[in-house]
Amino acid sequence: MSISEIHHVAVTVSDLERSVAFYRDALGFRKVLDMRADKPQNARMLRLPRDVKARSIMMVQGSSTVGEIELMQVEPLAEEPTPPKRVNDLGIWLLSFEVKDEPLAEVVARLRGMGVKFFSDIEEIDLEGYAPIKAVIFEDPDGNLLELVQLPSKDEYLRIKKEREGQQAAK
């Protein structure tokens, strides 16, 4: 199929500079593009009223151009923002990021040191047909839900799979 990874996800924010600082300092993103998003073609595509002003900042991790986050601030707001989405609301529920090169506990400790509040401690979740993962959820400055996950290494996955197969055969 010609459709591959997610190129980017757009998130509306109430304070663009505050959100840029959060995604940069807390999650390691860097700014790659700062643009006005209120030209006539943007208004048509995004169904923006003519009097709305919008600014977007594209942020990315590493050297990839996939998996970007577009932070967009729109003014004036048509109405007061509603609380962030939750599991029973339609639409995007959370953004999940994989932690690869350091223990998840160290990342969480660093973010807590920055004042980020987490919903819980790190949870180990046993996924049927896979292997246990570690995950934790928190909010960005506008209340959008973010998740950090740490997957088992390939060796850990194969070891756990072999153990489970042995347990199944013993039954």
Side-chain angles (χ1 to χ4, degrees):
M1 180 174 245
S2 61
I3 298 173
S4 64
E5 306 90 355
I6 291 175
H7 179 269
H8 75 278
V9 174
V11 178
T12 54
V13 299
S14 62
D15 181 330
L16 191 57
E17 299 307 323
R18 177 184 71 177
S19 292
V20 166
F22 176 82
Y23 281 85
R24 179 194 62 225
D25 299 342
L27 301 177
F29 281 80
R30 64 183 170 80
K31 182 168 43 172
V32 292
L33 183 62
D34 186 337
M35 61 189 164
R36 298 297 315 169
D38 49 18
K39 296 177 181 165
Q41 66 269 33
N42 299 113
R44 284 190 303 272
M45 289 174 56
L46 300 173
R47 298 181 180 171
L48 296 174
R50 292 178 189 257
D51 62 335
V52 168
K53 301 295 178 207
R55 180 175 162 218
S56 283
I57 293 182
M58 298 293 284
M59 301 191 74
V60 68
Q61 292 178 320
S63 60
S64 176
T65 58
V66 296
E68 294 178 342
I69 291 187
E70 178 181 11
L71 302 173
M72 180 183 282
Q73 184 172 352
V74 178
E75 295 177 338
L77 294 173
E79 56 190 52
E80 284 298 310
T82 57
K85 291 192 168 282
R86 294 295 179 244
V87 69
N88 59 338
D89 293 336
L90 298 177
I92 295 173
W93 177 35
L94 63 75
L95 299 175
S96 184
F97 303 95
E98 183 180 357
V99 175
K100 289 184 177 183
D101 296 329
E102 66 181 303
L104 182 57
E106 290 179 16
V107 175
V108 169
R110 184 173 62 250
L111 294 175
R112 281 194 169 126
M114 297 172 67
V116 173
K117 294 192 179 1
F118 287 81
F119 286 16
S120 68
D121 290 326
I122 296 169
E123 298 285 342
E124 187 166 295
I125 303 163
D126 194 6
L127 300 176
E128 187 176 331
Y130 191 63
I133 66 167
K134 294 178 182 172
V136 65
I137 295 178
F138 58 104
E139 293 180 344
D140 78 359
D142 285 300
N144 296 301
L145 295 179
L146 305 176
E147 177 184 47
L148 298 177
V149 297
Q150 192 149 57
L151 305 176
S153 69
K154 183 177 180 181
D155 290 340
E156 290 171 318
Y157 169 76
L158 293 173
R159 179 185 53 78
I160 291 168
K161 182 179 177 185
K162 187 176 181 178
E163 288 173 4
R164 288 182 176 171
E165 288 171 352
Q167 291 169 355
Q168 289 293 328
K171 287 183 180 180

